[in-house]
């Protein structure tokens, strides 16, 4: 299995278009600090997929050599998209893929149901097919636009950790998670690589920086300080992704990078290639 990290930012990206916080301003002044929306390209025996369809998806495909089209004039190696949830930052890129002839979307029943309006919009352009993904539920948080969706047996599938496998290689990818269930513990212990959410450094960060009246946990995001010790004990390679622009880690000089380095945990970077 080959992975390429296509983006490592939470919703809005770094910089976010309407934000002049220190993290976003720093990324404007230093283009090397820019982070696109969190996404992952995956190449396996089963073909090439992108995990989550972000607002940056067209640029992200161009940035990944093995996702570029060819040799035919309209021949793309991209077989489909695998979704961890139905949040707009992870799904709006589906509309950007409307030039495709066919597209497979792997998602839970809850996510598929929420994306009904997307499917309606795309139907006149391309043939969408749906399939299940190999997932572990990690939050019941719904997107705001689906707040009124009826409760159903599929409600457990609103936010998932994905298990990606190819032969003996296994990767766990969870860019957002509100809880760490025992099932995820077992899956991470058996994985060669674990890439999970690093939206916020600590629980109070959203309140301290003034972006929310809620803590990170109340917003449905386990902060890094709540998961880093656990990651340090895992046998596989562990990386954080989905950094919010308030996260001190968006500054390469931040002390927090040393804390993670001492634990042997990495921060994913846009463009990073991981071969397993
Ligand atoms: Zn900002």
């Amino acid at each position: 299995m080959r992975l390429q990290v296509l983006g490592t930012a939470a919703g809005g990206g770094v910089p976010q278009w309407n934000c002049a916080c220190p993290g976003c301003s720093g990324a404007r002044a230093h283009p090397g600090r820019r982070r696109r929306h969190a996404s992952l390209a995956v190449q396996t025996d089963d073909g090439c997929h992108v995990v989550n369809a972000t607002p940056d998806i067209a640029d992200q495909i161009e940035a990944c050599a093995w996702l570029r089209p060819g040799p035919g004039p309209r021949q793309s190696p991209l077989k489909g998209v695998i979704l961890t949830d139905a949040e707009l930052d992870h799904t709006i890129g589906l509309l950007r893929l409307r030039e495709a002839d066919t597209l497979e979307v792997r998602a839970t029943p809850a996510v598929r149901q929420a994306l009904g309006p997307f499917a309606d919009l795309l139907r006149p352009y391309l043939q969408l097919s749906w399939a299940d993904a190999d997932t572990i539920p990690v939050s019941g948080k719904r997107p705001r636009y689906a707040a009124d969706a009826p409760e159903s047996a599929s409600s457990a599938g609103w936010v998932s950790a994905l298990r990606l496998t190819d032969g003996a290689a296994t990767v766990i990818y969870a860019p957002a998670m509100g809880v760490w269930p025992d099932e995820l513990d077992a899956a991470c212990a058996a994985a060669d690589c674990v890439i999970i959410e690093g939206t916020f450094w600590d629980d109070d960060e959203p309140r301290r920086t003034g972006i929310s009246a809620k803590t990170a946990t109340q917003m449905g995001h386990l902060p890094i300080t709540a998961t880093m010790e656990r990651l340090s004990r895992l046998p596989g390679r562990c990386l954080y992704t989905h950094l919010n622009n308030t996260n001190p880690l968006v500054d390469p000089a931040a002390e927090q990078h040393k804390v993670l380095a001492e634990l042997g945990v990495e921060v994913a970077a846009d463009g990073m290639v991981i071969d397993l």
Side-chain angles (χ1 to χ4, degrees), residues 1 165-170 190 192:
M1 175 165 21
T165 53
D166 187 30
T170 303
D192 303 285

Side-chain angles (χ1 to χ4, degrees), residues 201 224 228-229 232 240 247-267:
W201 175 260
I224 290 175
M228 61 186 184
E229 302 279 351
S232 74
Y240 283 111
N247 190 320
L249 292 171
V250 302
D251 179 354
E255 285 292 312
Q256 285 83 351
H257 284 283
K258 289 180 195 159
V259 175
L260 293 184
E262 280 166 17
L263 290 170
V265 178
E266 299 174 63
V267 179

Side-chain angles (χ1 to χ4, degrees), residues 11-204:
V14 185
Q16 180 175 311
W17 67 276
N18 62 348
C19 188
C21 75
C24 291
S25 300
R28 284 190 189 94
H30 306 280
R33 298 188 193 177
R34 286 173 178 254
R35 292 176 184 269
R36 288 177 175 145
H37 286 87
S39 178
L40 192 66
V42 186
Q43 189 180 44
T44 67
D45 284 345
D46 191 26
C48 296
H49 291 79
V50 168
V51 179
N52 290 337
T54 84
D56 300 318
I57 193 164
D59 291 331
Q60 289 174 321
I61 288 170
E62 290 298 326
C64 181
W66 41 271
L67 283 181
R68 291 182 198 143
R74 282 288 171 87
Q75 198 174 3
S76 167
L78 182 66
K79 192 170 159 188
V81 175
I82 312 170
L83 300 176
T84 59
D85 54 71
E87 293 290 342
L88 287 179
D89 301 313
H90 296 161
T91 56
I92 214 167
L94 289 173
L95 301 179
R96 193 73 177 78
L97 299 178
R98 66 128 176 124
E99 292 86 359
D101 292 325
T102 61
L103 191 69
E104 182 193 272
V105 182
R106 296 187 191 174
T108 63
V111 168
R112 177 179 176 172
Q113 190 179 16
L115 292 175
F118 281 62
D120 292 343
L121 284 169
L122 285 169
R123 197 164 291 120
Y125 300 92
L126 71 145
Q127 194 183 337
L128 269 188
S129 62
W130 295 88
D132 290 331
D134 185 359
T135 58
I136 299 162
V138 290
S139 168
K141 185 189 169 198
R142 298 143 172 257
R144 258 184 261 175
Y145 71 82
D148 299 328
E151 276 298 331
S152 70
S154 62
S155 294
W158 281 112
V159 183
S160 304
L162 287 181
R163 184 173 17 225
L164 305 162
T165 53
D166 187 30
T170 303
V171 173
I172 299 294
Y173 184 74
M177 50 199 289
V179 293
W180 189 304
D182 290 345
E183 190 187 357
L184 182 63
D185 233 2
C188 287
D192 303 285
C193 182
V194 175
I195 307 174
I196 69 158
E197 90 139 288
T199 309
F200 300 111
W201 175 260
D202 65 86
D203 207 29
D204 194 46

